[in-house]
């Protein structure tokens, strides 16, 4: 099962992907997490990505596609995987289509988490408060100014993926304003209908 999560920053993609990964036993591939790991490990990719990410821009399609391509060849992806944060541009979606075509493994479903834009900044603020309260470090791109930049990048570069996948009949819309449990239940229903 190959599942793509789509939605603006703060929509809850990571939260839901993590849950589904645990309940279904298939890995969550978060390009944001992979890039942050590369930064922490000071790899050449991490060094290239660090500044771009801190200002809320997108890392180049080639770099991200390279990471994903290597990752989906790992044995734990054999049963399927959940893509969280990739593809993020139409060229990335085209690269993914080519990669999957070579492997004869089509995307099964695209879950679009729909959220009211005004509430996203409020969600970010509460995420920052929670992170600080737990004693963890706040991501360098999790501040209001950079977050608004990321939202703009989403609308401009990522939102066009919705019509791209709609044309393929793959998109299922989800009310991302519902509670975490309700969103998870809706996702489960869609995934069960695939089996
Ligand atoms: P969010 O969805 O909350 O914005 P992510 O962790 O998915 O957070 O992404 C954080 C940053 O990582 C992005 O703003 C971007 O700079 C970089 N990034 C993640 N995935 C991609 C991707 N597929 N293409 C380009 N850049 C990416």
């Amino acid at each position: 099962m190959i599942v793509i999560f789509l939605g603006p920053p703060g929509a809850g993609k990571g939260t839901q992907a993590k849950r589904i990964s645990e309940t279904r036993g298939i890995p969550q591939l978060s390009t944001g997490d992979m890039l942050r790991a590369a930064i922490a490990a000071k790899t050449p990719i991490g060094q290239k990505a660090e500044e771009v990410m801190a200002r809320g821009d997108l890392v180049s399609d080639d770099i991200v596609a390279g990471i994903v391509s290597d990752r989906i060849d790992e044995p734990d992806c054999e049963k399927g995987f959940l893509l969280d944060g990739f593809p993020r541009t139409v060229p990335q979606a085209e690269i993914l289509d080519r990669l999957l075509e070579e492997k004869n493994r089509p995307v099964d479903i695209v879950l679009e988490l729909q959220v009211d834009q005004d509430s996203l900044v409020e969600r970010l603020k509460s995420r920052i408060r929670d992170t600080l309260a737990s004693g963890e470090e706040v991501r360098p791109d999790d501040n209001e100014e950079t977050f608004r930049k990321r939202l703009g990048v989403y609308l401009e570069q990522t939102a066009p993926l919705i019509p791209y996948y709609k044309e393929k009949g793959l998109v299922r819309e989800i009310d991302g304003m519902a509670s975490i449990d309700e969103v998870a239940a809706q996702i489960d229903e869609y995934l069960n209908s695939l089996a």
Side-chain angles (χ1 to χ4, degrees):
M1 178 163 56
I2 299 180
V3 181
I4 295 176
F5 284 83
L6 267 187
K13 301 181 298 288
T15 305
Q16 296 296 336
K18 183 164 179 276
R19 253 178 110 123
I20 307 294
S21 167
E22 284 162 6
T23 54
R24 309 238 166 196
I26 53 177
Q28 168 195 7
L29 275 45
S30 157
T31 42
D33 286 351
M34 294 184 217
L35 290 167
R36 281 185 286 276
I39 292 173
K42 299 194 188 316
T43 66
I45 285 179
Q47 280 163 352
K48 273 193 202 150
E50 188 163 16
E51 196 211 332
V52 180
M53 283 172 76
R55 60 169 193 261
D57 276 322
L58 294 183
V59 175
S60 82
D61 291 337
D62 290 352
I63 289 186
V64 183
I67 299 182
V68 172
S69 166
D70 289 346
R71 182 67 186 84
I72 64 182
D73 283 335
E74 300 276 329
D76 65 334
C77 288
E78 249 165 47
K79 271 198 343 191
F81 46 88
L82 311 168
L83 290 169
D84 156 20
F86 181 91
R88 229 180 180 95
T89 64
V90 170
Q92 288 181 16
E94 289 167 349
I95 296 173
L96 178 67
D97 280 346
R98 279 200 300 276
L99 279 174
L100 294 179
E101 212 169 291
E102 282 165 20
K103 300 177 203 297
N104 234 333
R105 301 180 70 184
V107 171
D108 292 286
I109 193 167
V110 176
L111 301 171
E112 184 204 349
L113 291 176
Q114 298 181 326
V115 281
D116 153 35
Q117 283 210 24
D118 294 337
S119 65
L120 289 174
V121 174
E122 289 313 309
R123 279 192 181 188
L124 168 81
K125 287 182 185 163
S126 82
R127 178 155 99 186
I128 294 173
R129 274 194 302 273
D130 292 349
T131 307
L132 290 173
S134 70
E136 285 169 48
E137 219 173 294
V138 174
R139 273 166 49 178
D141 59 344
D142 267 356
N143 58 71
E144 193 170 337
E145 193 192 337
T146 312
F147 187 80
R148 287 188 191 279
K149 169 79 190 284
R150 282 155 57 201
L151 216 46
V153 169
Y154 171 80
L155 292 173
E156 199 176 299
Q157 304 205 50
T158 310
L161 290 176
I162 298 165
Y164 178 92
Y165 285 117
K166 270 194 175 156
E167 213 163 280
K168 299 176 190 283
L170 292 173
V171 178
R172 299 293 177 275
E173 293 165 0
I174 292 165
D175 176 12
M177 298 303 291
S179 71
I180 292 180
D181 285 344
E182 283 164 339
V183 174
Q186 174 71 79
I187 292 177
D188 256 329
E189 211 174 289
Y190 283 135
L191 298 185
N192 289 340
S193 74
L194 289 176

